[in-house]
Amino acid sequence: MRHILEAIQSLTSSGGSATAVSADFEALTLPESYRAVTLQKEETDMFAGLDSRDKDPRKSLHVQDVPVPELGPGEALVAVMASSVNYNTVWSSIFEPIPTFHFLERYGRLSPLAERHDLPYHVIGSDLAGVVLRTGPGVNAWRPGDEVVAHCLSVELESSDGHNDTMLDPEQRIWGFETNFGGLAEIALVKSNQLMPKPDHLSWEEAAAPGLVNSTAYRQLVSRNGAGMKQGDNVLIWGASGGLGSYATQFALAGGANPICVVSSPQKADICRAMG
Ligand SMILES: NC(=O)c1ccc[n+]([C@@H]2O[C@H](COP(=O)([O-])OP(=O)(O)OC[C@H]3O[C@@H](n4cnc5c(N)ncnc54)[C@H](OP(=O)(O)O)[C@@H]3O)[C@@H](O)[C@H]2O)c1
């Protein structure tokens, strides 16, 4: 992975043309394996009989080398520079409400390509900022060398049900939770329609942090297919200093609504007041 990291570091300083950068990245040899944060299928019962609060993610999460997955049509392999820990990371790691391997088995039954995801290990993580390494057949909007952020919505979009609202696609999944090859790894596999340009003014870490929580809060509160929040609405936000809550608070303020923030301590109330 070192030569990939060096190429990425020189990318930020080189200022070369997009075509030259793309050719440079295409010429990079991909490793056969990469380091990833995984859960093991054979360990799904390891916390049996324990209260949720006693289930320790440090016992179930492993860092291991896994093979680079085969690249399919409409997909991209991305070198991950930063990812994030979400609540679904916690759910996954304590095998609640159900082990994520059930999702992978079910996805695996969809098609021979989806079958790649059904493995005895699960690479988790639903956010990333990084650089495109390879694109599959049919990908035209992205090239190797592009600096990107990935959102976490993985959809097949073969049914018209999802055309007005991809969340309603019957084959809608959260990448790195209900699919394999997630973001807490050196390399991730995504559908190319998950990619967005990385904002230049954000660091890798800043770019990787907001994707899942920001999109969720926007979808729930602001979007046409969500609550359609409008000026003057009173918006009750439980856990307002957390990931979703802090974005919800900012959306409410920016949209002229009144955020009513519920938090559990004076310190968290200060975080909310600091948002305005
Ligand atoms: N469906 C989706 O698309 C989707 C997407 C993302 C997240 N989620 C879910 O949304 C929730 C929030 O995610 P997040 O990333 O914002 O997590 P987070 O940053 O950890 O924030 C969660 C907040 O919940 C509050 N909280 C903790 N225990 C509580 C309790 N017993 N009763 C009431 N509030 C409690 C905490 O605030 P206080 O200490 O101030 O109470 C905490 O700040 C999670 O359940 C997550 O799984 C759903």
Side-chain angles (χ1 to χ4, degrees), residues 209-256:
L212 186 148
V213 282
N214 185 9
S215 311
T216 304
Y218 184 89
R219 205 271 176 192
Q220 289 176 322
L221 210 49
V222 184
S223 88
R224 249 188 338 201
N225 299 317
M229 183 195 78
K230 59 187 187 308
Q231 291 174 21
D233 280 355
N234 292 324
V235 181
L236 179 68
I237 304 168
W238 210 280
S241 68
L244 257 80
S246 59
Y247 276 103
T249 302
Q250 292 173 79
F251 285 134
L253 288 169

Side-chain angles (χ1 to χ4, degrees), residues 29-82:
T29 313
L30 289 197
E32 286 180 6
S33 62
Y34 64 98
R35 265 188 317 165
V37 176
T38 65
L39 295 167
Q40 303 296 320
K41 195 173 196 172
E42 63 189 18
E43 292 184 349
T44 51
D45 291 329
M46 69 189 295
F47 296 133
L50 291 180
D51 276 354
S52 295
R53 71 181 65 225
D54 296 325
K55 298 178 181 176
D56 185 343
R58 289 169 297 185
K59 294 191 172 138
S60 54
L61 294 173
H62 302 275
V63 176
Q64 69 172 112
D65 278 328
V66 297
V68 174
E70 182 196 339
L71 184 61
E75 296 178 341
L77 284 170
V78 181
V80 180
M81 294 299 283

Side-chain angles (χ1 to χ4, degrees), residues 163-184:
H163 287 183
N164 180 44
D165 182 353
T166 46
M167 289 289 284
L168 300 184
D169 191 277
E171 298 294 341
Q172 174 268 334
R173 293 179 173 81
I174 300 301
W175 158 69
F177 178 57
E178 294 165 292
T179 78
N180 217 321
F181 317 121
L184 287 165

Side-chain angles (χ1 to χ4, degrees), residues 86-88 91 212-213 216 238-239 241-245 262-264 268:
N86 277 296
Y87 230 93
N88 70 14
W91 291 127
L212 186 148
V213 282
T216 304
W238 210 280
S241 68
L244 257 80
V262 181
V263 289
S264 63
K268 288 184 175 184

Side-chain angles (χ1 to χ4, degrees), residues 12-152:
T12 359
S13 53
S14 74
S17 80
T19 313
V21 166
S22 177
D24 286 351
F25 271 78
E26 206 126 26
L28 289 175
T29 313
L30 289 197
E32 286 180 6
S33 62
Y34 64 98
R35 265 188 317 165
V37 176
T38 65
L39 295 167
Q40 303 296 320
K41 195 173 196 172
E42 63 189 18
E43 292 184 349
T44 51
D45 291 329
M46 69 189 295
F47 296 133
L50 291 180
D51 276 354
S52 295
R53 71 181 65 225
D54 296 325
K55 298 178 181 176
D56 185 343
R58 289 169 297 185
K59 294 191 172 138
S60 54
L61 294 173
H62 302 275
V63 176
Q64 69 172 112
D65 278 328
V66 297
V68 174
E70 182 196 339
L71 184 61
E75 296 178 341
L77 284 170
V78 181
V80 180
M81 294 299 283
S83 182
S84 71
V85 172
N86 277 296
Y87 230 93
N88 70 14
T89 321
V90 180
W91 291 127
S92 305
S93 68
I94 60 173
F95 308 109
E96 287 194 28
I98 55 168
T100 50
F101 291 97
H102 293 318
F103 302 138
L104 303 184
E105 285 164 15
R106 194 161 154 212
Y107 190 25
R109 289 196 287 273
L110 184 69
S111 69
L113 209 57
E115 204 180 334
R116 289 169 303 165
H117 292 256
D118 182 12
L119 293 168
Y121 60 84
H122 187 184
V123 181
I124 58 172
S126 302
D127 272 312
L128 75 71
V131 177
V132 175
L133 291 174
R134 292 283 189 278
T135 55
V139 177
N140 304 306
W142 304 99
R143 298 200 290 187
D146 286 346
E147 298 187 16
V148 292
V149 172
H151 68 69
C152 63

